[in-house]
Amino acid sequence: MKRNQKLFILVISVILLFITQLAVSIIPNQMPNTSKLFISLVVIVGVVFCLKLGNSEKLVKNTFFIILFLGIGISFIKPVQFGVDEETHLRWTIRLADGQLFTREQEKQPDWDTVEKYDTLRNPAAEHAKNGFPNKFFSDEHEASTYSGKKIGINNISLIPNALGWKIGMVTTSRVAVAYYLGRIFNVIAYALMVCLAMKIGKKYREVLLLFAAFPTTLWIVSSFQYDWLFYSLSLMILAFITRFISEKESIRKKDLIFYLVTTTLMMFPKFPFILMGVVPLFISKRYYINVKDKIWYGISLIGSVLIAVGWYLQSTIVKKISNGTSPEVSTNITNKAGISYFIKHPLPIVRTFIRDVLGSFSGFSGSNTSNPPAPLQYVQHTSSFITGILPVIFTFLFILVTIRIKIKLDKTTKIFIYIGYLVISLAIIYALSGDNRVGYNIGELSISGVQFRYFYPILLSLPLLWRDWMKKIIPINEVKELEDESRITDFLQISMIYINVLILSLGMYTLVS
């Protein structure tokens, strides 16, 4: 990569950092906080310095640095607890950091209480930071948590990266703020490593994986106390394996099937319904298997995977049965609950929700709806009509670009099965949320609340593979010319990811104020 090219990318990124405020008609501060500006400049310089363009073989390493640096920048730019479900996942993180594998009847977490003092999103009485960081937060010190009573469940281990960062912060300093930001950063590091692993597995799907892995919608939730880093990582791994399986005849080895089954089984921690992705290899033609007997072995092993996942789903009930413990009462928004028989007789609420939130998930992910979590700028004081207008256009263009470049294809039978599988998974998610105490559904309501486009990330990630054939018919490309432009196109995609993320990062710097 030429020095002038790096300098050009750096200059454009810095210009974006300063002029993005012009895309917002009302901003709380015309000049960004000095600390946040410095952090933004450091991450931009870092990612550009580490970038090595001109060679498509460097794509995996470049992706790691794009996610790492920009994710760290987001971790600091986002105000305290300005993330989806961070208040709940922070509790789980502190438990793990304290070495508590089991959840107990009573717990007291002074550090969680400390963080809550600065959570202006959920606590109107919290201390506002105005245009920067809450200064008092950096002087608050750790206090030991206490756990007592009987065991009532197993803590979700998918928050281990958050917990590891928090623990290192606890060991190295007495400041809660250090542990807090390290917790966010370690989530980014774990995610970046998993993305690289997925790209090495699914070499023929790498560009799609980059687009979905490094797009702001994904990065902004990963840079939080959130177990969706694992959900996104596993989704990327699943698509990487599927594209590897169908890349050529007799390519599926027993070792690959074992890793794929482990990957889908791990879905029980972040998003249980997606363990059903484990059945995909059973619908892939036997001509792709080195040994057809491996397909039979896999089918038998899949039963064990499902039993393990069901065991995890019921773990709280099982633990409480053994310990005779009781969970604290949880407030609920449901006053007139609907069961499955109700929805069989009255399917329209589920159909309406499916059309709005599942079929509309592409629009949500692309950034057209800033109010639907985990939209990057969901919690801004003032939105930008320019950004919400241009971001979906950019994403759609890049989506088409990576789709028509896919060189592998699914047979019709596998496609049909995947569509049916996703339909079943989507309906299962919608039905599950109808009984969720936090949002739920009451008989008579038009649709089910709380269904977010992030739940359908694997579906979105599959669309380029599913739509590749008809899109290539509409937009034919010269295969020879495409091969010659290989490095140019991958370079363009990587630079686009940097510019888009810098754009959103800078907008957040001006408008995300606690």
Side-chain angles (χ1 to χ4, degrees):
M1 180 181 179
K2 294 180 181 179
R3 190 174 177 180
N4 289 344
Q5 188 180 15
K6 279 194 175 186
L7 184 61
F8 178 80
I9 296 170
L10 181 62
V11 170
I12 296 297
S13 298
V14 173
I15 290 173
L16 281 174
L17 194 64
F18 284 98
I19 69 168
T20 304
Q21 63 165 301
L22 300 177
V24 186
S25 56
I26 302 173
I27 55 174
N29 302 284
Q30 294 215 350
M31 287 302 293
N33 171 262
T34 308
S35 300
K36 290 187 175 182
L37 178 60
F38 176 75
I39 291 167
S40 300
L41 289 171
V42 168
V43 300
I44 289 172
V45 171
V47 70
V48 174
F49 177 79
C50 294
L51 205 62
K52 296 188 187 302
L53 299 177
N55 183 355
S56 58
E57 294 301 314
K58 300 290 185 182
L59 181 60
V60 175
K61 189 178 290 185
N62 288 344
T63 301
F64 174 80
F65 288 120
I66 290 171
I67 292 173
L68 178 67
F69 282 103
L70 293 169
I72 289 174
I74 295 166
S75 298
F76 284 108
I77 296 301
K78 284 170 64 173
V80 176
Q81 298 297 79
F82 269 49
V84 179
D85 300 330
E86 275 203 295
E87 77 286 8
T88 301
H89 292 185
L90 179 60
R91 281 196 183 278
W92 299 350
T93 296
I94 295 173
R95 280 186 210 141
L96 281 176
D98 289 337
Q100 297 292 318
L101 180 60
F102 291 94
T103 307
R104 294 187 177 271
E105 290 174 317
Q106 292 93 34
E107 66 178 21
K108 186 176 181 182
Q109 296 177 330
D111 287 351
W112 186 92
D113 296 333
T114 296
V115 174
E116 189 197 22
K117 290 191 303 184
Y118 308 100
D119 184 358
T120 58
L121 185 66
R122 302 170 186 87
N123 180 14
E127 181 178 325
H128 289 257
K130 295 184 180 178
N131 186 26
F133 297 97
N135 293 327
K136 289 183 180 178
F137 188 31
F138 288 91
S139 61
D140 288 324
E141 298 189 350
H142 288 287
E143 293 182 50
S145 303
T146 56
Y147 304 89
S148 60
K150 296 172 182 176
K151 297 172 183 175
I152 56 173
I154 303 172
N155 208 11
N156 196 316
I157 63 172
S158 55
L159 290 159
I160 284 178
N162 283 140
L164 183 59
W166 184 278
K167 187 67 176 179
I168 291 173
M170 285 178 63
V171 171
T172 55
T173 177
S174 61
R175 310 298 179 186
V176 173
V178 175
Y180 184 81
Y181 288 109
L182 280 177
R184 280 182 169 181
I185 290 169
F186 268 69
N187 228 30
V188 174
I189 295 171
Y191 175 69
L193 290 171
M194 288 286 281
V195 171
C196 290
L197 180 59
M199 293 179 77
K200 286 186 175 182
I201 293 169
K203 293 180 179 179
K204 296 187 178 180
Y205 209 59
R206 291 187 308 174
E207 292 176 2
V208 177
L209 298 178
L210 167 61
L211 174 61
F212 281 89
F215 202 71
T217 316
T218 308
L219 279 189
W220 277 72
I221 195 168
V222 166
S223 308
S224 310
F225 285 88
Q226 244 296 346
Y227 62 24
D228 274 6
W229 80 272
L230 183 61
F231 174 51
Y232 292 154
S233 298
L234 295 176
S235 301
L236 294 163
M237 292 279 286
I238 287 170
L239 264 296
F241 273 117
I242 291 174
T243 53
R244 178 170 173 163
F245 290 162
I246 63 169
S247 60
E248 56 187 53
K249 292 179 181 179
E250 296 187 355
S251 61
I252 302 179
R253 302 169 297 174
K254 192 172 187 178
K255 182 174 71 173
D256 295 326
L257 291 171
I258 292 172
F259 283 120
Y260 181 80
L261 188 59
V262 170
T263 302
T264 56
T265 304
L266 288 173
M267 272 292 191
M268 67 186 182
F269 293 115
K271 294 289 181 288
F272 181 83
F274 282 100
I275 64 165
L276 293 176
M277 291 296 291
V279 302
V280 171
L282 298 179
F283 289 84
I284 295 177
S285 173
K286 62 183 181 181
R287 70 176 182 272
Y288 291 104
Y289 285 80
I290 294 175
N291 188 341
V292 179
K293 290 182 180 178
D294 289 342
K295 192 172 186 178
I296 300 170
W297 170 87
Y298 181 82
I300 297 170
S301 301
L302 182 62
I303 297 171
S305 166
V306 172
L307 291 175
I308 291 170
V310 171
W312 168 256
Y313 184 76
L314 299 173
Q315 56 86 11
S316 181
T317 303
I318 295 169
V319 171
K320 282 186 286 189
K321 196 79 172 176
I322 295 171
S323 68
N324 200 28
T326 54
S327 298
E329 283 191 24
V330 179
S331 59
T332 179
N333 291 320
I334 303 174
T335 56
N336 194 7
K337 189 173 183 178
I340 192 166
S341 60
Y342 172 84
F343 288 116
I344 291 173
K345 296 176 183 176
H346 307 88
L348 290 185
I350 285 190
V351 174
R352 187 176 286 110
T353 305
F354 179 85
I355 294 172
R356 182 192 67 195
D357 295 311
V358 181
L359 300 185
S361 59
F362 184 94
S363 172
F365 183 86
S366 69
S368 65
N369 184 358
T370 56
S371 64
N372 191 343
L377 302 174
Q378 180 192 357
Y379 302 123
V380 294
Q381 288 188 358
H382 305 286
T383 59
S384 167
S385 56
F386 172 76
I387 298 299
T388 54
I390 198 69
L391 208 56
V393 175
I394 295 171
F395 177 77
T396 302
F397 171 75
L398 294 175
F399 178 89
I400 294 171
L401 177 65
V402 297
T403 299
I404 61 176
R405 282 174 48 79
I406 298 173
K407 297 178 175 61
I408 49 178
K409 63 183 295 183
L410 284 172
D411 59 66
K412 288 184 179 179
T413 304
T414 307
K415 276 186 184 179
I416 291 170
F417 164 73
I418 290 176
Y419 277 123
I420 294 172
Y422 280 148
L423 175 63
V424 172
I425 290 171
S426 300
L427 295 178
I429 290 173
I430 293 171
Y431 177 71
L433 284 166
S434 73
D436 190 313
N437 289 319
R438 297 167 298 174
V439 282
Y441 173 84
N442 290 294
I443 290 176
E445 292 178 343
L446 291 176
S447 61
I448 292 141
S449 303
V451 181
Q452 301 169 11
F453 65 79
R454 63 188 171 115
Y455 302 151
F456 310 107
Y457 184 76
I459 299 176
L460 295 172
L461 194 54
S462 305
L463 292 182
L465 189 60
L466 294 168
W467 293 356
R468 172 247 189 210
D469 294 343
W470 65 265
M471 288 187 75
K472 289 194 87 163
K473 289 178 182 177
I474 296 173
I475 312 173
I477 57 174
N478 186 317
E479 299 287 344
V480 177
K481 179 67 175 170
E482 182 194 16
L483 193 61
E484 293 173 355
D485 293 339
E486 181 82 23
S487 294
R488 258 196 218 172
I489 295 171
T490 54
D491 287 356
F492 173 76
L493 188 60
Q494 293 167 79
I495 295 169
S496 297
M497 288 298 99
I498 292 173
Y499 288 159
I500 293 168
N501 276 288
V502 170
L503 182 71
I504 302 301
L505 185 73
S506 55
L507 195 62
M509 185 172 62
Y510 288 103
T511 59
L512 276 174
V513 179
S514 64

